Amino acid sequence: MKPDYLFTAGWRVFFLAAGLWAVISVAIWLMWLIGLVDGGHLGVAPQSWHAHEMIFGYATAAMGGFFLTAVPNWTGAKAAPERFVMLVAGLWLAGRLAVCLAGVLPSAVVAAIDLAFLPVLAAKVLTQLMARPKPQNMMFLLLITLVWISNLLVHLDWMGLTGTGWQGLRGGLLTTCAMIAALGGRVTPAFTRNAMLREGRAERLPVEHPRLDMAGIALAILTAFVVILGLPDAVDGGLAVLAGLVAAARLAGWRGLALPHQPIVWVLHLGYGFLALGFVLWGLAQLGLGDEMAALHVLGIGAVGGMTLAVMSRASLGHSGRALVAPGPVALAYALIPLAVALRWAGSTFPGSFYLPGVIGSGLVWCLAFTLYLTALWPIFFGPRANGNEAAA
């Protein structure tokens, strides 16, 4: 096992970084909750730091690994060289360190460092997409831009220039969910179909409806966009409910129960199911029905956490030349995500005596899930491919 392999592909370093930050950042959050860590050095409210690092720390690392891996496959463009992978990984890490030192560094410096990562990543993605430009792929540049704008809104609030912190956090999460609506909606039925065909099951394959697919993606993007614009809650709430219902309708045709013996397949359906549920719950909360924080964590833990865990583990196995079979610890990690969602949802829905146990329990389950992921895939991140051929993820 040689560290030299770590920067040979974007998926290696970023999927490792995402897993590590998933554990480290939530562990810091939990220690603050129980009084073991003083959050004063962060320079911002610990709750705001936690939300920021889940969205613009963890999720953007997963994005970096995915786009640096998938886009060359889509277009046939040359993969990013090691020096570029090292550069963008360094920018992502610098952002995490700067935000952790926000109580020491000038807020403008923190913003400049943290906002540097996504533009550099987007520039590389653009050059690769131009090798074979397609609207359905170019769209992701818009979504990366919306994530960056959302992060900017948070930093402007931290600098005391605006009151857009909460707006930016919600916008970043919902834009990430829009990416899942598009990407998850692309890979979930495709990977399910491929797995069924490999088993010789050519009947009752997943069914896709192009108009429904377009509506689901458009509604998810529009929901994020109106949140970033700061439009009234009734507008984004109504759009979110529609986005969730359409996502559920799409999911219903993808044969989610066809392969219960293949965790690496059903976890994709699970993540997309949480997307649909989270959109509906959050939309209803915006309309005055239900707790918004509970709904946001269904999206954050279930949809973003679940789907990124699914895709990162699958891509790591596939691109390292291994069989697309989830190792036991990874399969257990998949199964722990719904428990983390349920505990966090209950903590906000039934506040009072259950809030702290629910939040802490959810955080511990989350940390356990990603520790299992890291333990199982650590040798893959640092080691050579199992064979000489690049396997499709």
Side-chain angles (χ1 to χ4, degrees):
M1 187 167 65
K2 298 179 180 180
D4 292 348
Y5 286 107
L6 184 61
F7 297 101
T8 58
W11 63 267
R12 292 178 182 270
V13 63
F14 278 110
F15 291 167
L16 172 64
L20 288 171
W21 198 236
V23 176
I24 293 170
S25 62
V26 171
I28 294 172
W29 164 242
L30 292 179
M31 287 189 289
W32 176 81
L33 279 175
I34 61 178
L36 293 179
V37 171
D38 180 7
H41 68 283
L42 295 175
V44 297
Q47 298 92 332
S48 181
W49 178 87
H50 165 63
H52 182 275
E53 289 309 290
M54 286 291 93
I55 299 165
F56 304 110
Y58 167 77
T60 60
M63 289 177 204
F66 179 83
F67 285 118
L68 289 175
T69 304
V71 174
N73 287 343
W74 296 343
T75 65
K78 187 177 179 180
E82 286 187 51
R83 61 182 179 274
F84 181 82
V85 175
M86 293 179 69
L87 169 65
V88 288
L91 289 174
W92 177 87
L93 179 59
R96 310 289 53 78
L97 294 174
V99 173
C100 285
L101 296 174
V104 179
L105 298 174
S107 56
V109 172
V110 174
I113 295 173
D114 188 43
L115 292 167
F117 165 63
L118 284 180
V120 176
L121 174 67
K124 172 57 71 175
V125 171
L126 173 60
T127 62
Q128 293 175 331
L129 286 174
M130 291 307 295
R132 193 181 299 168
K134 293 182 179 180
Q136 65 267 33
N137 294 334
M138 300 296 287
M139 169 189 67
F140 292 112
L141 289 172
L142 168 64
L143 295 178
I144 293 173
T145 301
L146 291 180
V147 172
W148 185 88
I149 291 172
S150 298
N151 197 11
L152 174 63
L153 291 176
V154 176
H155 281 287
L156 290 174
D157 181 71
W158 288 355
M159 294 165 67
L161 300 177
T162 65
T164 54
W166 184 232
Q167 182 179 331
L169 291 171
R170 289 194 303 181
L173 174 60
L174 289 166
T175 303
T176 305
C177 289
M179 287 192 186
I180 292 173
L183 290 170
R186 182 184 300 185
V187 303
T188 302
F191 290 163
T192 304
R193 183 181 299 108
N194 293 344
M196 293 177 69
L197 291 174
R198 281 195 296 268
E199 292 189 352
R201 299 167 59 181
E203 297 181 355
R204 297 188 63 202
L205 295 172
V207 177
E208 298 175 75
H209 302 282
R211 291 184 179 178
L212 195 64
D213 295 341
M214 290 180 62
I217 295 168
L219 283 167
I221 295 175
L222 189 57
T223 300
F225 191 65
V226 299
V227 168
I228 293 170
L229 289 178
L231 296 185
D233 290 348
V235 177
D236 51 49
L239 287 170
V241 171
L242 288 175
L245 293 175
V246 173
R250 297 176 72 192
L251 181 64
W254 294 345
R255 299 297 313 280
L257 301 178
L259 299 164
H261 56 290
Q262 293 197 34
I264 205 163
V265 176
W266 60 248
V267 69
L268 295 167
H269 296 263
L270 181 65
Y272 211 88
F274 277 124
L275 180 75
L277 177 62
F279 267 136
V280 171
L281 291 176
W282 184 75
L284 291 175
Q286 292 298 91
L287 298 173
L289 301 171
D291 184 86
E292 183 186 15
M293 195 58 62
L296 287 172
H297 281 87
V298 173
L299 288 172
I301 300 173
V304 177
M307 188 62 80
T308 52
L309 180 63
V311 171
M312 291 190 302
S313 55
R314 183 186 184 97
S316 298
L317 292 167
H319 283 282
S320 65
R322 289 163 173 81
L324 295 177
V325 178
V330 175
L332 178 56
Y334 297 159
L336 288 173
I337 292 297
L339 177 57
V341 173
L343 288 170
R344 188 60 185 84
W345 178 85
S348 287
T349 303
F350 306 105
S353 60
F354 192 72
Y355 172 77
L356 201 58
V359 173
I360 292 174
S362 176
L364 290 174
V365 172
W366 169 277
C367 288
L368 175 58
F370 279 91
T371 298
L372 291 167
Y373 159 83
L374 289 168
T375 301
L377 301 185
W378 190 276
I380 293 177
F381 296 135
F382 287 95
R385 295 192 190 96
N387 56 49
N389 297 319
E390 186 77 5

